[in-house]
Amino acid sequence: MRHYTGFRRACASLLASLLLAAGAGVRAGEVEVLHYWTSGGEAKSLAELKGMMAQRGHSWKDFAVVGGGGQNAMDVLKARVLAGNPPAAANIKGPAIQEWAALGALTNLDAMASFDRWDEALPKVVADQMKHKGRYVAVPVNVHRVNWLWANAEVLRQAGVNEAPRNFDEFFKAADKVRAAGLIALAHGGQDWQDFTTFESVVLGVGGAKFYDAALVKLDAQALGSDTLRRSLETFRRLRGYVDAASPGRDWNATTDLVIKGRAGFQFMGDWAKGEFLAAGQQPGKDFRCFPAPGTAEAFTYNVDSFAMFQLKAWEAQKAQGYLAYLLMGKDFQERFNLRKGSIPVRQNVAMDKFDECAKVSAQDFGKTAKAGTLVPSVAHGMALAPGQQALMRKLVSDFWNNPQMSVNDTQKQLLALAAGPQKPLP
C-alpha cells in the first residue's frame, strides 16, 4: 500500500508540473506531431487540438504527410526514427504500436494513465491495444466505424430508393436505380486502401462477423479457401461495374464530394467521411444518409486513431508531450474533436447529447456488438494484422479489383499463400 501511495503521489506531482508549466506560459515546449489528417473535415478536427495546446503556451509543429491512407506517413516515420530524430507523437495504431514499442522507441505513459484513470475510462479492447507488456505507450482519441455506407438523400429520392439496402442483393437493385437516373451509382476512390476498405465490408456483409474474424483477422486457411470467400470476391468484383471511369487514383475526400454534390448515390467509407459532409454544411437525415454496409447491421468494424509517444531527450519537449497526452484523453477534447471528425469518443464517460444521429447509432452499436461478440477490428485500417502482412493483402485485393483477368480461384490461392507466409516486422 505504501508503494502504491508513493506512486500515486509521483503521478500527481508529474501532472501538477505539467499544468504549472503550461499555465505559467514560460519555457513551454514544442510538440511535433506526425499525422495524415489533411482533408477539410480532418483539418478542422486537428485545429481543436492545436488551439488547446496553444492556450497552454506550447507550440505545435505540424508534420503532416498526405495520402496513402496513412501508409505514406508510416514510411516517413520509419526514416525519421531510424535517423534518430523521432517526432514527439505519431498517429499510428493497432499492431504497429506493438512493433514500435518492441523496438524500444516509445515512452512509458503509465504515470499519466494511472493519474487520469485510463483503465476505467477506456473499453478494454482499446486499452489493450494502447499497451505494450501491460504499460501504456499510446493515447487513443476516437473510435471510427468503418462499415458505413453513405448516401446523398436527394439522389435516393430522385432514383426512387426508399429503404436502406439490408444486403447486397438490395444494394445492387438500389444502385441500378441510381445509375438509371443518370448518376454515378457508387463513388469510389481507386486507391489500394480504399479498395481494401470496401472489400472488408463486403466480406463482413457476405460472411458475418465470425467468418470475417476467421478469414481476415486469423487468416484461417479453411475460411480463405471457402465458398463464402468466393462469394465475397464475386460480390466485390460486381461492385466495380458501378464505379465511374475517373475513379483510379482519386482521393477519398474528393470521392465523398461527389456524394455531397449529388453527382453520386453511394460511398463505402468509414465515418471520417461524415466529417466532410458536416464541413460542407450538410445535415444527417436531411442532406445525407448513413447506413451500415449491406449485411453488417449487427456487426461493427472499428478503427481507433491513436498517438504513440516517442522517447525524447529534451525536458521541455517531454513536458509538452506529456501535456499533449493529457489533453488527448480529456473529455473536452474528446467531445470537440469527435464532433468534427465524424467519429465517436473513445472515453466511455463522454455524453453523446451534442452528437448527431449517425454518431449516436455508432456509439450504441459499438457497445451492443462488444457484448454480442460481433465487434471486429478493421483489417484495412491497420487494427488487426502486422503492417507487412496487411500491406501484402491490401495490394492483392487492389490487384483483383483493378485486373478483370485475375480470377477468383487465383486470388484465393494467393491469399492462402500470403496467410502461410512469414510476417515482416518493421525494419
Side-chain angles (χ1 to χ4, degrees):
M1 179 62 71
R2 190 179 305 137
H3 173 75
Y4 175 76
T5 302
F7 180 67
R8 292 280 294 171
R9 287 174 178 169
C11 292
S13 176
L14 171 65
L15 185 56
S17 68
L18 292 170
L19 294 170
L20 181 62
V26 296
R27 296 180 62 82
E30 177 183 81
V31 59
E32 183 182 23
V33 181
L34 183 150
H35 64 90
Y36 44 93
W37 292 338
T38 56
S39 75
E42 291 173 327
K44 287 185 177 182
S45 303
L46 199 62
E48 295 285 357
L49 182 57
K50 293 179 181 179
M52 293 173 80
M53 288 293 288
Q55 288 174 5
R56 300 300 187 269
H58 295 298
S59 61
W60 176 288
K61 185 176 180 181
D62 218 24
F63 184 8
V65 181
V66 180
Q71 185 56 46
N72 294 348
M74 294 306 97
D75 293 340
V76 174
L77 177 62
K78 292 175 188 176
R80 284 281 302 268
V81 175
L82 290 172
N85 183 32
N91 181 200
I92 62 177
K93 53 196 174 184
I97 294 174
Q98 305 304 315
E99 292 197 355
W100 283 114
L103 292 174
L106 304 184
T107 195
N108 186 343
L109 301 174
D110 270 0
M112 184 68 70
S114 177
F115 182 89
D116 205 23
R117 300 179 181 274
W118 289 4
D119 277 344
E120 297 176 22
L122 293 174
K124 187 176 186 302
V125 67
V126 176
D128 288 347
Q129 291 193 325
M130 299 302 112
K131 298 176 181 180
H132 177 70
K133 295 184 177 179
R135 295 182 175 181
Y136 279 97
V137 293
V139 188
V141 296
N142 61 7
V143 174
H144 279 297
R145 187 179 194 171
V146 179
N147 58 311
W148 278 119
L149 176 66
W150 304 95
N152 181 291
E154 181 58 30
V155 167
L156 296 192
R157 283 192 289 269
Q158 291 178 7
V161 178
N162 301 315
E163 302 290 339
R166 293 167 297 181
N167 53 53
F168 277 100
D169 286 340
E170 292 186 2
F171 173 80
F172 289 124
K173 290 178 182 177
D176 285 336
K177 290 181 178 181
V178 174
R179 186 164 58 182
L183 299 168
I184 300 168
L186 179 61
H188 181 78
Q191 297 171 337
D192 60 359
W193 73 269
Q194 296 188 65
D195 301 338
F196 202 5
T197 297
T198 300
F199 177 71
E200 75 171 20
S201 284
V202 171
V203 174
L204 184 64
V206 172
K210 186 176 181 180
F211 176 80
Y212 173 100
D213 180 68
L216 299 188
V217 179
K218 296 184 171 64
L219 302 181
D220 176 75
Q222 185 175 353
L224 290 172
S226 68
D227 287 340
T228 303
L229 190 69
R230 168 184 286 276
R231 293 198 308 275
S232 299
L233 287 165
E234 290 171 347
T235 301
F236 181 58
R237 172 156 283 168
R238 186 177 173 187
L239 289 173
R240 185 71 174 82
Y242 292 89
V243 172
D244 65 296
S247 170
R250 186 168 56 210
D251 288 337
W252 73 268
N253 51 311
T255 303
T256 303
D257 195 55
L258 294 175
V259 183
I260 291 172
K261 292 180 176 177
R263 294 177 55 198
F266 296 104
Q267 181 188 17
F268 290 96
M269 188 54 61
D271 54 18
W272 48 92
K274 189 182 67 177
E276 300 301 297
F277 288 102
L278 297 178
Q282 296 201 342
Q283 299 178 28
K286 177 183 177 183
D287 304 301
F288 68 93
R289 305 285 302 278
C290 55
F291 311 124
T296 73
E298 301 301 320
F300 191 119
T301 43
Y302 67 86
N303 173 27
V304 177
D305 284 317
S306 53
F307 285 93
M309 300 293 172
F310 284 80
Q311 291 193 22
L312 304 175
K313 296 178 181 178
W315 166 236
E316 299 303 326
Q318 290 176 21
K319 285 194 296 184
Q321 181 190 57
Y323 201 78
L324 173 63
Y326 174 70
L327 284 180
L328 289 171
M329 271 293 289
K331 289 184 181 181
D332 185 32
F333 170 74
Q334 291 265 326
E335 179 184 274
R336 290 162 59 181
F337 174 81
N338 287 291
L339 280 169
R340 292 187 177 275
K341 186 73 161 62
S343 44
I344 58 175
V346 70
R347 287 191 73 117
Q348 299 181 105
N349 53 358
V350 176
M352 296 296 293
D353 299 357
K354 296 180 182 179
F355 286 82
D356 58 66
E357 61 186 63
C358 298
K360 289 176 180 175
V361 168
S362 186
Q364 291 168 3
D365 287 354
F366 182 79
K368 182 176 66 176
T369 57
K371 293 178 181 177
T374 56
L375 176 68
V376 290
S378 171
V379 179
H381 292 273
M383 299 303 299
L385 300 179
Q389 198 159 30
Q390 191 262 12
L392 291 172
M393 183 176 286
R394 182 177 68 240
K395 181 180 184 304
L396 177 56
V397 166
S398 188
D399 287 347
F400 176 78
W401 174 266
N402 288 293
N403 182 5
Q405 304 305 316
M406 192 170 169
S407 71
V408 170
N409 282 339
D410 286 345
T411 303
Q412 284 190 274
K413 289 178 182 177
Q414 291 185 53
L415 282 169
L416 285 164
L418 183 156
Q423 297 187 14
K424 297 181 179 180
L426 290 168

